[in-house]
Structure formats: C-alpha cells, structure tokens
Amino acid sequence: MALPQSITDRLDIPLMAAPMFLASNPELVIQCCINGIIGSFPAKNQRSLDGLDSWLAEIGHALETAHSQTGRAPAPYAVNLIVHKSNSIIEDELALLEKHKVPIVVTSLGAVSDVVDTVHRWGGLVYHDIISLRHAQKAAQAGVDGLICVAAGAGGHTGAASPFGLINEVRQFFDGTVLLSGALSTGRDIAAAQMMGADLAYMGTRFIATSECASPPAYKQMVMDSALGDIVTTDTVTGVTASFMAESLNSYMLEHEDHGTLDINKELEDALDQKNNEKKPWRDVWSAGHGVGSVDSMPPAAELITQLASEYHQAVDDMSQLYKPFMADN
Ligand SMILES: Cc1cc2nc3c(=O)[nH]c(=O)nc-3n(C[C@H](O)[C@H](O)[C@H](O)COP(=O)(O)O)c2cc1C
C-alpha cells in the first residue's frame, strides 16, 4: 500500500471526492478538503482560462484561511485535466495549475510522461484514470504516482472490469497509490475498498446529492430516487461507454439515433452552451453510477463526510469481529 504520509496526515478517512463534469465546484472542493477528504473538480468546469485561474485562487485562499484559523492543514485538492489531442488548451491549463501549485492532478484519457514531469517539477502528484490493464501499464510507464481503477458500475465514463480483478492485477506491477472507483457510496464501501487493496476510495455519484454540488435540483432528486436497475451503461451518447439514469436517457435516445464519436472540445462546448435548446449529453442526460440505490439524502458535504466517517469506523469495528472466528490463532 502506498499513500504518502504527507497525505494520510491530512485525511480523516481514506476518501477522495471524484471530479465530475458540470457538478464539482469550488464550494464542494473546499468543504471536502476542510472536512478531511480530498476534493476535486475538472478544469473544464470553467469555460475560460481566467475562470479557471479565479477558481484556483478561490480554493487556495479558502484552504489557507482554514489552515490559519484551525491550525490544521486541510486535505489536498485535485484538478482533472483531459489529456487528449482534442484538448487544444492543455498547455495553458497546465501553466495555471503550475501557477497555483495544484497538489494533485488527475489525468483522463491519456497518460503522458511530459505532463507527469511538469507536475512533478512543482511538487504535485499525478493520479491517472484507468479502466484496463493496458492503460494501467502505460500510465505506470509514464511515471504517474497513482492509478484510479475505474471498475464496473462507475458514474461518468465507466469501466467494465471487476474491481477485484482490476486491483489485484494492478498491484502485481504497481506499488504507487491505488484508488478504487465505481459504485462506492457508504463508509463501509470505503473500508471494503481498503481491504481489497486500494489506498483510497474514489466517490463521484454520492457527492452529486450534496447541497454544494452544482447539479440542478431535479438531477439530485433523480439520484436520490434511482436504484441500480435504473442505470444504463451505453456508448451511444458520446462514443465512450458511460453510465446514465434511464429516465433522463430515454428522452434523449428518442431524438438521437447516431453513435457519437469522441470530440472532447465539442462535447464540453455543447454541454456548456446555455443558449442551445437541444438536449445535450451531461447537461441534460444525467449520469450516475451503480451506487445510486444507497443515496437517499442531500446533506451539506460536511455532514455527509461526518456520516461516512462514522459508517467507516463502525465497519472497521464490525470487520474485526467478523474475522475473529477465522483467525489462525483461534
Ligand atoms: C456526472 C459525472 C460527471 C463526471 N465527470 C468526470 C470528469 O469530468 N472527469 C473525470 O475524470 N471523471 C468524471 N466522472 C467520473 C468520476 O470522476 C468517478 O470516476 C466516478 O463518478 C466514480 O463512480 P461513482 O459515480 O459510482 O462513485 C464523472 C462522473 C459523474 C457521475
């Protein structure tokens, strides 16, 4: 297991709130970090580089203030960068991340050693999203510090692999930080992720239903009302396999028969285009993972983290009782 002490010292529980397009915002990131878990957002949630600059300044200022008021360093935060040829402004985004010395960069779609070297130069860490062993090996070769194993049932772009299979094989060649993603919703899930060999649990969908999250109220309500059977996994919407809530997907599918092809800039621009009345992936077709059935409340993030911590501690206590009859010295 490999989580640097500089991070464990700043966490209350081994959890990272995952970056979510259109959903994660500075309010959510700040509340996560000052309540002892890693918060994150995708760089593309800001429409302009100036906007990204001001979000990074806002987060940095809030975390410094919290540090000086409480005497305790908040958890580090992360920014998600899309490393894909269709992201034409990645150099400018990286320059801003360097300006603000962003502690963790989550890379999606491509793991490139140049990006890893740049982030390492300012002392940052790189965690990379993977859904297969081939991706994991390439990312490990590129020198990433962490691998986010996106297993079956995740919200957003999901993997199809069993979390057991994925983590076990990744651990055979990677001794960096391993994060587990896909349908984790409770404190018990966080403890289970650690037992499976992950250093950190990575939760997206659960954080949509928080008061800070930028998603519309009807989206949050649909997450609370949905269950596992309502999640559809399809590549029909964007050309990449992703999980959506059936109720929101159905009306879109009636209007669109074509498979999309991946063009990140177009996808993001379309989704951010408020004037466009056509239904758009992510903005109008709402994504959630297989963990929705455990989400039935929409608390502030601080309250959710307190609840997850209490469930986590209870689960760890319960587990030691569960294992007792099977321990060798019994
Ligand atoms: C609405 C939504 C948007 C997402 N957007 C992104 C994104 O922009 N970048 C990214 O790396 N992952 C994105 N993800 C994936 C999450 O980072 C994470 O892997 C996933 O939510 C974990 O599964 P869970 O939702 O079952 O907890 C998104 C997930 C959701 C639900």
Side-chain angles (χ1 to χ4, degrees), residues 8-321:
T8 34
D9 283 352
R10 293 161 65 182
L11 295 183
D12 281 355
I13 46 171
L15 177 63
M16 172 161 173
M20 291 184 288
F21 184 46
L22 304 181
S24 324
N25 55 16
E27 291 78 9
L28 183 57
V29 173
I30 292 163
Q31 284 308 310
C32 287
C33 295
I34 63 182
N35 287 286
I37 70 165
I38 302 171
S40 71
F41 74 92
K44 296 292 182 198
N45 275 7
Q46 260 294 351
R47 300 198 65 165
S48 67
L49 289 164
D50 282 349
L52 178 59
D53 193 20
S54 71
W55 270 18
L56 292 171
E58 180 184 345
I59 293 168
H61 177 69
L63 298 184
E64 270 166 32
T65 308
H67 190 177
S68 59
Q69 281 171 353
T70 62
R72 189 195 173 194
Y77 71 97
V79 177
N80 171 223
L81 270 192
I82 291 174
V83 184
H84 187 265
K85 58 183 182 320
S86 61
N87 182 10
S88 52
I89 57 164
I90 185 166
E91 291 300 327
D92 301 320
E93 290 172 339
L94 254 182
L96 281 177
L97 270 48
E98 177 164 18
K99 174 181 165 190
H100 292 274
K101 305 243 174 317
V102 170
I104 302 170
V105 177
V106 171
T107 50
S108 308
L109 298 176
V112 182
S113 53
D114 286 356
V115 172
V116 175
D117 293 345
T118 306
V119 176
H120 284 170
R121 269 203 299 280
W122 79 71
L125 298 170
V126 178
Y127 293 171
H128 184 70
D129 264 353
I130 60 106
I131 58 169
S132 73
L133 263 291
R134 191 174 58 85
H135 291 141
Q137 273 152 349
K138 279 176 79 174
Q141 277 158 15
V144 301
D145 306 281
L147 289 175
I148 303 163
C149 296
V150 183
H157 291 160
T158 183
S162 147
F164 290 98
L166 198 52
I167 287 201
N168 287 346
E169 288 199 37
V170 162
R171 277 291 184 210
Q172 288 169 19
F173 65 87
F174 185 69
D175 58 9
T177 302
V178 171
L179 300 93
L180 179 62
S181 159
L184 282 76
S185 303
T186 68
R188 178 170 286 262
D189 298 341
I190 301 169
Q194 276 186 305
M195 184 52 77
M196 289 166 68
D199 299 296
L200 288 170
Y202 194 76
M203 263 183 205
T205 299
R206 184 59 193 90
F207 281 85
I208 296 173
T210 56
S211 38
E212 292 86 355
C213 171
S215 302
Y219 186 166
K220 298 179 184 185
Q221 191 61 49
M222 198 182 283
V223 167
M224 290 189 278
D225 294 344
S226 295
L228 176 56
D230 300 311
I231 304 302
V232 178
T233 301
T234 177
D235 64 358
T236 318
V237 177
T238 67
V240 176
T241 306
S243 308
F244 298 98
M245 288 181 286
E247 195 182 334
S248 137
L249 182 67
N250 288 344
S251 56
Y252 175 83
M253 295 305 283
L254 291 174
E255 293 169 20
H256 298 76
E257 284 174 5
D258 294 342
H259 279 226
T261 45
L262 183 63
D263 178 341
I264 286 294
N265 271 346
K266 183 168 182 327
E267 199 176 300
L268 303 182
E269 268 164 30
D270 277 356
L272 292 166
D273 182 1
Q274 302 295 341
K275 286 185 263 127
N276 190 330
N277 288 328
E278 245 190 88
K279 280 198 187 314
K280 294 294 173 196
W282 308 112
R283 188 190 69 182
D284 307 301
V285 191
W286 293 335
S287 174
H290 284 182
V292 274
S294 308
V295 184
D296 56 9
S297 61
M298 194 192 56
E303 209 175 286
L304 173 61
I305 295 163
T306 303
Q307 180 193 323
L308 291 170
S310 135
E311 292 168 356
Y312 171 76
H313 294 131
Q314 184 63 51
V316 172
D317 277 356
D318 291 351
M319 271 195 239
S320 56
Q321 293 306 314

